[in-house]
Amino acid sequence: MATEPEPQGPARLPLGPQAQGGRRAGARSAGVAAGRLAATAAVPGVQSMQSVQGGGQGVQGVQSLPSRTGDSTPDWLEPAMAANGIGSFDWDIRRDLIEADHRACAITGITGTTFELNSEAFLALLHPEDAPVVRRRVERAVAELGQCGAYYRTLFPGGELHAVRFRGRVLADAFGRPSRMVGFVWDATAELHKRADAGRRAALREDRSRFIKEAARALSEAVTVRDVARVFTELPLPGLPPDGLVLAALEAGRLQILGASGYRREAVAPYDRMPLEPFQPAAEAIRRRQPVFVASREEYQERFPEAWPRAKDTGRSAWAFLPLVASGRAIGLCVVSFDDARELDADERTLLSTLGGLVAQSLARARLHDAEHELAAGLQRVMLPRTVPAVPGVTTAVRYLPAGSGLQIGGDWYDVVPLPGGHVGLVIGDVQGHDVHAAGIMGQLRIALRAYAAEGHPPAAVMARASRFLADLDTDHFATCTYAEVNVDYGVVYAVRAGHLDPVVRRADGRSTVQSVVGGLPLGIGTAQEYQVTRFSLDPGETVVLCTDGLVESREMDLDTGMARLCESVAGELPTRGQDGTDPIEELADRIAARAADSAEREDDIALLLLRWDGPEGGLAAQQLRRRIGQADLARVSELRGELRDALRRWGVPELIDTAELLASELVTNAIRHTDRDAMFTARLYREDGREPRLRIEVEDESDLWPKRRTPGEQASSGRGLMLVEALADAWGVEPRGSGKRMWFELSAGEVA
């Protein structure tokens, strides 16, 4: 309670007798001149003159002080003290006796004109919390021969609690020892309440200032309209906690409720998308672009009688309608309501108006963000294939993750293209840039590349034509891309890479490896670029993973680290098909996507494409290889030899590779050279219980000209093909067909393990 700090020096009292030229002398006049300070100073801890001075009843040369009376105040000072309600007191430290005039008695709550109390009796009159404070301050003043003062509370006989303020000074005798304390006392109840009210108002202003800062920060961090609604409905308004909050957006003359708190859902639902009628307070606030405050139900009924029938059922008694104005245009409304009638003061109205301005700016920014995001998402949905076609023998999974900042649209894309002959084409690519222009180029390039692939062009031709197409667009953009044609019957992949990432292959045993593919320049760099094809094979259950660089590269992660993380994500065990029918490849796609950076941190969008080769029904693909060799496609013969080597290695008969490759090459070359049609190559491995595995290779053509076994001379450059077949094969032959013929040979492997 005692909140006033003690002064550091002696008080100046120009009205005291010493200021009048020393009219009164002696200790009595000196006490009056220095004293009459403030509040009734109880003397704690000092029991008597003996305890302060160390003994003795009198001091030689010190005039004894007569008892004080109610009329002892000089005539020239009394009117001033009476007009200001100030009483005086005198505490004789030697005798431990406090005397006061009639005004001090009234202020302290003691009946009578004067009173005489010792220090302990006086302290007993004070509030228990204030007595120790007064005691300490008086003790220090006595010890230092200084002055002191404080507020304290005292209880009047009628039970009323009053606040009193005192100011006193300790006087010394001729030997410099404390002799008495004199001072003033006055009622400080109103003063203390005023100070308390000022303190509360200052604290409230500080709370409101802090609230505005925190609200501004929270609203600035709100990205979407939903975020703004959540922040607004959770704001703790200082000093005026509302009972209801509603945030609504103005759309085509209707109010769309974005968020509400303090209301039941069914109470708010009728107002959602309600037309804004001119007689409503919300309409007046939006029309005038000024807040509308309604302090009571009676005022609402008087000012808005047509709107009152609907408002009276809400149970509220006071409202504040705050228009949300951004860039000079009303975009919504905030409603703050109270259960009890309430007249908001100027500070409260200013706080709510400021809050409305903050919400308006945040809502405008969030609506723009949502509109841009919806535009980007819609454009991306149009550019990317809606569904991935189902192709028998393979299972695919795709993911697209937009960047975490900006327009959230870019040039990354994926595609799955069914091809003639039951094959399937896989496309993954990334157009340079991260904007709408890049997305538009991506859409054109995706359609062109899909068309080239669907026409049946081989992978190298598809990529070369796509590069020329992009160069002809003259967009100053390039694109990276990987195109892979998968033979669904045999699990062979023909891949072409244009400046893009190598694919990752998940093997049947759970291992993962980066499959090296010969690379070429990105698309659009030149019109005469040629691309090489890399062939690799899959066993049933193995998966090819294609992705864009956003998954494996960022400012915090280099490409090598990213590819290692990708291989780690692809490898390992996968769950079996769940009860809900979820395919394990979907689980794998989710696992890979989960390793990508958080959406708020990701710098680039990500396209992800997975294909698992399941193989034909019955698993025959593991023992059969079938290829068509074009009449003019001599390079296909070399590819066929590589495929045959891979197939025999997978089938577990590597000892047959050299012989089978040599003889197959002879039969295929013979068919192409001596006919004018395509040739069909077929390799099958037969396994029978208790017998050695048997490889049968057949080459069919449409020529009726049968091969003739010749005996070439020593210098002849041809004519030894059938001789090699006869010498190395376990059996061989030629069979007629409806049109053309079939040449074949068989090789036997070692004992079955």
Side-chain angles (χ1 to χ4, degrees):
M1 180 63 190
T3 59
E4 182 176 340
E6 296 185 22
Q8 299 302 316
R12 294 184 177 180
L13 300 176
L15 298 180
Q18 293 178 352
Q20 303 298 324
R23 298 181 189 175
R24 304 193 180 191
R28 177 70 174 176
S29 61
V32 174
R36 298 200 183 279
L37 297 170
T40 314
V43 185
V46 183
Q47 301 299 326
S48 63
M49 184 62 190
Q50 288 84 349
S51 63
V52 176
Q53 304 292 343
Q57 295 296 324
V59 179
Q60 183 70 25
V62 178
Q63 180 181 354
S64 63
L65 297 176
S67 298
R68 297 199 43 186
T69 62
D71 58 353
S72 62
T73 305
D75 294 340
W76 59 271
L77 185 59
E78 179 63 26
M81 295 181 63
N84 289 280
I86 298 175
S88 62
F89 71 91
D90 188 341
W91 172 44
D92 189 336
I93 299 176
R94 296 174 179 176
R95 296 186 295 152
D96 190 18
L97 181 64
I98 302 172
E99 300 177 81
D101 60 17
H102 65 282
R103 278 189 297 274
C105 294
I107 292 169
T108 311
I110 301 175
T111 58
T113 58
T114 60
F115 74 94
E116 295 184 0
L117 295 174
N118 63 22
S119 58
E120 292 299 330
F122 174 75
L123 288 175
L125 299 175
L126 308 187
H127 192 282
E129 294 179 0
D130 301 338
V133 179
V134 174
R135 177 189 295 273
R136 288 193 301 270
R137 295 194 177 190
V138 173
E139 287 178 344
R140 187 164 63 247
V142 171
E144 298 174 357
L145 292 177
Q147 56 182 341
C148 64
Y151 288 96
Y152 65 82
R153 291 165 293 180
T154 182
L155 189 64
F156 277 32
E160 185 179 357
L161 190 65
H162 278 240
V164 179
R165 186 179 181 185
F166 82 89
R167 174 72 67 183
R169 177 185 288 273
V170 177
L171 303 177
D173 59 14
F175 299 99
R177 295 171 297 188
S179 174
R180 62 170 72 256
M181 175 182 284
V182 294
F184 296 149
V185 59
W186 64 93
D187 189 284
T189 303
E191 180 183 347
L192 195 61
H193 288 172
K194 183 177 180 180
R195 291 184 60 178
D197 291 342
R200 284 193 296 269
R201 287 194 296 271
L204 183 58
R205 285 194 296 269
E206 184 178 352
D207 289 344
R208 289 173 176 172
S209 177
R210 186 184 306 110
F211 164 77
I212 289 297
K213 293 179 181 179
E214 293 177 354
R217 179 190 57 78
L219 289 171
S220 66
E221 295 175 355
V223 178
T224 65
V225 171
R226 178 176 296 181
D227 294 338
V228 175
R230 176 185 53 79
V231 170
F232 172 74
T233 54
E234 294 177 357
L235 287 176
L237 294 174
L240 65 161
D243 299 294
L245 291 171
V246 178
L247 177 64
L250 183 62
E251 296 286 350
R254 295 175 179 268
L255 289 178
Q256 177 186 359
I257 304 298
L258 302 178
S261 65
Y263 290 92
R264 300 188 308 275
R265 184 183 298 273
E266 56 271 17
V268 178
Y271 292 91
D272 192 19
R273 300 191 179 276
M274 181 185 69
L276 194 61
E277 298 168 315
F279 55 79
Q280 296 174 331
E284 180 178 335
I286 291 177
R287 182 176 61 254
R288 295 170 50 196
R289 297 181 184 176
Q290 293 291 332
V292 173
F293 300 98
V294 182
S296 65
R297 297 171 68 88
E298 293 75 14
E299 181 182 352
Y300 196 115
Q301 186 175 9
E302 180 181 353
R303 293 177 59 184
F304 308 100
E306 296 180 69
W308 173 245
R310 177 174 290 179
K312 68 179 181 179
D313 296 331
T314 61
R316 302 289 191 251
S317 299
W319 297 263
F321 298 89
L322 311 174
L324 304 180
V325 181
S327 301
R329 185 172 61 91
I331 62 173
L333 182 78
C334 292
V335 181
V336 182
S337 58
F338 305 89
D339 287 344
D340 300 325
R342 181 163 190 160
E343 183 72 37
L344 300 177
D345 59 26
D347 289 342
E348 293 170 335
R349 295 190 178 196
T350 300
L351 175 67
L352 291 177
S353 300
T354 304
L355 177 62
L358 293 176
V359 174
Q361 297 301 319
S362 182
L363 181 61
R365 185 178 62 254
R367 293 176 66 181
L368 179 61
H369 173 275
D370 286 355
E372 292 178 345
H373 185 271
E374 181 61 28
L375 172 63
L379 182 58
Q380 198 75 51
R381 285 193 298 268
V382 172
M383 295 298 183
L384 295 175
R386 285 192 175 184
T387 59
V388 176
V391 178
V394 297
T395 305
T396 57
V398 294
R399 296 290 185 273
Y400 179 80
L401 304 177
S405 60
L407 195 56
Q408 294 189 338
I409 186 172
D412 292 24
W413 89 96
Y414 58 80
D415 206 352
V416 178
V417 186
L419 301 177
H423 294 191
V424 61
L426 306 180
V427 184
I428 195 81
D430 183 3
V431 176
Q432 172 198 10
H434 189 73
D435 50 22
V436 175
H437 191 198
I441 297 174
M442 176 268 286
Q444 298 178 72
L445 183 58
R446 183 182 76 85
I447 294 173
L449 197 148
R450 183 183 183 90
Y452 296 145
E455 289 177 356
H457 296 288
V462 170
M463 196 68 84
R465 294 187 178 213
S467 181
R468 287 195 295 271
F469 172 81
L470 182 56
D472 292 341
L473 289 180
D474 194 20
T475 62
D476 294 329
H477 281 63
F478 64 84
T480 63
C481 181
T482 294
Y483 174 69
E485 179 180 331
V486 181
N487 187 315
V488 178
D489 293 332
Y490 309 114
V492 179
V493 181
Y494 302 93
V496 180
R497 188 168 62 88
H500 203 75
L501 302 173
D502 285 320
V504 173
V505 178
R506 174 187 167 86
R507 295 301 178 183
D509 57 2
R511 294 180 298 107
S512 64
T513 57
V514 177
Q515 177 63 53
S516 178
V517 175
V518 178
L521 292 176
L523 305 180
I525 298 297
T527 59
Q529 174 68 26
E530 298 292 336
Y531 295 93
Q532 299 184 38
V533 177
T534 300
R535 179 193 51 78
F536 60 93
S537 300
L538 301 175
D539 285 337
E542 295 186 339
T543 303
V544 178
V545 179
L546 303 174
C547 69
T548 55
D549 57 355
L551 181 65
V552 296
E553 192 173 21
S554 67
R555 274 184 278 183
E556 292 78 20
M557 181 173 61
D558 58 41
L559 182 59
D560 291 339
T561 302
M563 291 300 291
R565 289 181 55 182
L566 175 60
C567 290
E568 181 183 347
S569 300
V570 172
E573 295 184 2
L574 286 178
T576 57
R577 185 181 295 270
Q579 296 180 353
D580 57 353
T582 303
D583 193 282
I585 196 173
E586 297 290 342
E587 299 286 344
L588 178 59
D590 290 337
R591 187 165 76 188
I592 297 172
R595 296 293 297 270
D598 182 78
S599 60
E601 304 292 338
R602 192 164 47 250
E603 303 165 1
D604 195 4
D605 43 352
I606 296 172
L608 179 65
L609 171 59
L610 290 78
L611 177 139
R612 184 186 66 227
W613 183 55
D614 300 323
E617 296 182 2
L620 295 179
Q623 293 86 35
Q624 177 173 293
L625 177 64
R626 188 175 177 83
R627 293 288 183 273
R628 177 175 293 277
I629 309 299
Q631 173 63 33
D633 191 6
L634 298 180
R636 192 70 163 171
V637 179
S638 175
E639 295 178 4
L640 179 62
R641 288 198 296 264
E643 292 180 24
L644 180 60
R645 287 195 301 269
D646 288 344
L648 295 179
R649 189 178 296 108
R650 292 199 314 272
W651 298 346
V653 286
E655 65 274 16
L656 299 181
I657 290 177
D658 294 337
T659 303
E661 180 182 356
L662 174 62
L663 301 185
S665 180
E666 289 294 336
L667 293 187
V668 171
T669 303
N670 186 71
I672 292 177
R673 288 186 59 187
H674 297 289
T675 66
D676 57 357
R677 302 290 180 89
D678 295 348
M680 179 62 69
F681 173 88
T682 303
R684 295 187 183 90
L685 183 68
Y686 297 92
R687 297 180 183 273
E688 300 177 3
D689 294 340
R691 300 184 60 181
E692 298 175 350
R694 181 167 50 91
L695 175 66
R696 182 182 176 93
I697 292 180
E698 301 174 349
V699 178
E700 301 176 9
D701 60 58
E702 297 181 3
S703 173
D704 293 331
L705 181 63
W706 282 56
K708 296 181 180 179
R709 183 180 182 281
R710 294 181 294 169
T711 304
E714 186 174 331
Q715 301 297 324
S717 59
S718 63
R720 299 183 177 86
L722 290 183
M723 295 178 61
L724 289 173
V725 172
E726 182 179 21
L728 299 178
D730 293 335
W732 72 281
V734 181
E735 300 175 355
R737 299 178 60 246
S739 60
K741 61 182 178 297
R742 176 188 299 121
M743 296 185 63
W744 59 271
F745 68 86
E746 293 183 356
L747 297 173
S748 298
E751 288 291 329
V752 180

